[in-house]
Amino acid sequence: MNIVIRADAAVQIGSGHIMRCLVLAKELTNQGYSVSFACRRQPGDLIGLIQRRGLSVVELASPVINEVNLTPNVAVESNAEADYAASWLGVSWQQDADSLLAQIKDVDLLIVDHYGINIEWEQYVRNVLDCKLFIIDDLLRLHAADLLLDQTPMREDSAYVLQSTIKRVLAGSDYALLADNFAPIRETIMHRHVTTVQPRVLITMGAMDLPNATGKVLEAFLQLPADDRPQITVLLGQHAPHYQVVKKYIKVLGNKAKHFDYVENMAEIMVQHDLAIGAAGTTALERACLGLPSILIPLADNQRAICNNLVAANAAIYLELDEITTKLTVQYAFLTANLTEFRARNLVLCDGLGVKRVLVELNGLLSYLPSTLGLRKATHDDIEQVYNWQIQPQTRQYSPNPQSPSWLEHQVWMQNQLSNAEHFFYLIIDNVSNLNLGVVRLNRIAQCEYVISIFIDPSYYGQKIATRALAIIDIIHRDVTIHARVMQDNSASQQLFTSANYQQVTSEIFIRAPIK
């Protein structure tokens, strides 16, 4: 099947949209899909990087530049959304759509990650191409899509409930598109010790950092006595407009600072540090995944929702750009004194498996016989529902503890499960009816090793729900070993795990090795 991704990078819009789409493109090509990009060539584009990753790029028509002020010559209405289109697309939505349609004919799925593209573009292009449409956005705008992803932390799909033109919404950081090495590295650092005597600080404000937040942060640290300055690592691309200014600050800091233009493996760099100071795009979720506490400095309005939500979760500190000089070192001292607590709260927010969950959804969207079954992370709102299942005689029959828990015992147990970043607690759901069908849990027992527990609402026995849920687990959690304990007289469950390619190693123990 043919998939096209419409996204751009540029000096004024940054690189984040392309980078997260490259993460998704890698997963899709590994599944055997044909993936290409459609981009506009402009200063700061990442077309060369996309091509080096082995993906083809359709280059869209360049904007007509006004020679007087060197801005795109686009006639648009005077409103916020039109302004986005003007500054991000460089052409009108109609010109952009026509340029795409002139070069793209056969598409099964069109993925759009672009603040300059609106619902009119989506309706027009989908009508011509007759394809599925997957939108990645976080601005709570109107869309016409088969599937929409909004990876803002703590965002709920109810935010889009009034949009009948969106068939299904994936909301929250459970679906964050992080590179595939974040989850494995997270497995290795769940119990790591953090340094509070002289913390290692990572400064990452994006590839361009137009307002020079990096320089302002370095200047603030230079106000500290030399012995009190942390060890600093700066990430900033050589095309950034303030690159040379930052290099001068690095030189003044001497052996207290080092600088990289670009790193291939962001996860490995992050785990070498104890806290970060950075912008609030996808990198804020990467840091949360690895338990790296942050001082967040929003560099664009679209980053404020992430900032506000992470602060509300008490997982980050939020500074405005104009507060760096006066407040940064004070907030740095506060964060340093509370690293352990901030780290724990970050780990709960994002597990790094979002791209696997999105892949499950896209496989279903592109399948001729799509399954309506899905998994979602359980919440505190599900405690009573799960209790009602737990006390059913059919559920207790083969449980290691046949005695039903009390309501209080169950509440304490499930709240502990939900707050533990090492475990996965899913509800099995029907995506069409939104009915809850059962539970599947993975409890971590060692690095990359989990014990699975699964039970189904007795009302839905006989519908192979457990079999289908295990198939989804194999996609999301393919890189770990999973153990299952099944009582010998529970023949149905023994057959379930045998059919799911778990190896029976004793009369009651089944193991599924990592899937290569």
Side-chain angles (χ1 to χ4, degrees), residues 8 227 419:
D8 281 328
D227 290 343
S419 63

Side-chain angles (χ1 to χ4, degrees), residues 81-97:
E81 193 160 322
D83 289 344
Y84 256 129
S87 61
W88 284 66
L89 279 179
V91 298
S92 70
W93 74 261
Q94 183 78 59
Q95 290 170 311
D96 187 87

Side-chain angles (χ1 to χ4, degrees), residues 223-257:
Q223 297 173 11
L224 294 175
D227 290 343
D228 294 338
R229 295 168 191 162
Q231 291 292 330
I232 296 171
T233 301
V234 173
L235 300 182
L236 185 69
Q238 60 182 326
H239 297 297
H242 302 285
Y243 181 82
Q244 294 301 329
V245 173
V246 169
K247 293 292 283 186
K248 290 179 181 178
Y249 281 123
I250 296 289
K251 186 175 181 180
V252 173
L253 285 162
N255 61 8
K256 285 283 189 174

Side-chain angles (χ1 to χ4, degrees), residues 79-82 84 93 112 114-124 126 133-150 155 158-169:
N79 59 53
E81 193 160 322
Y84 256 129
W93 74 261
V112 177
H114 208 300
Y115 289 155
I117 286 176
N118 56 24
I119 189 172
E120 289 83 6
W121 187 103
E122 295 162 6
Q123 292 169 327
Y124 176 70
R126 186 166 64 169
L133 185 59
F134 173 37
I135 302 297
I136 303 171
D137 196 13
D138 51 21
L139 297 180
L140 294 175
R141 299 182 298 153
L142 293 175
H143 289 288
D146 297 283
L147 187 66
L148 180 137
L149 166 62
D150 182 339
R155 181 65 50 81
S158 59
Y160 295 88
V161 70
L162 298 179
Q163 294 203 38
S164 60
T165 51
I166 303 175
K167 294 182 180 178
R168 178 158 166 73
V169 174

Side-chain angles (χ1 to χ4, degrees), residues 165-186:
T165 51
I166 303 175
K167 294 182 180 178
R168 178 158 166 73
V169 174
L170 309 178
S173 52
D174 288 340
Y175 298 98
L177 298 176
L178 307 191
D180 58 6
N181 61 333
F182 273 86
I185 290 179
R186 172 188 168 92

Side-chain angles (χ1 to χ4, degrees), residues 179-212:
D180 58 6
N181 61 333
F182 273 86
I185 290 179
R186 172 188 168 92
E187 281 283 343
T188 70
I189 54 86
M190 293 298 290
H191 299 288
R192 73 186 287 252
H193 173 71
V194 295
T195 301
T196 58
V197 177
Q198 190 178 52
R200 298 160 297 181
V201 177
L202 177 66
I203 301 174
T204 169
M205 298 292 176
M208 296 300 171
D209 186 11
L210 295 181
N212 193 26

Side-chain angles (χ1 to χ4, degrees), residues 21 34 78 97 107 184 191 200 237 265 272 282 332 374 464 483 494:
C21 284
S34 174
S78 179
V107 181
H191 299 288
R200 298 160 297 181
N265 192 332
Q272 296 170 17
T282 300
Y332 158 75
K464 295 190 177 298
H483 302 251
Q494 291 231 341

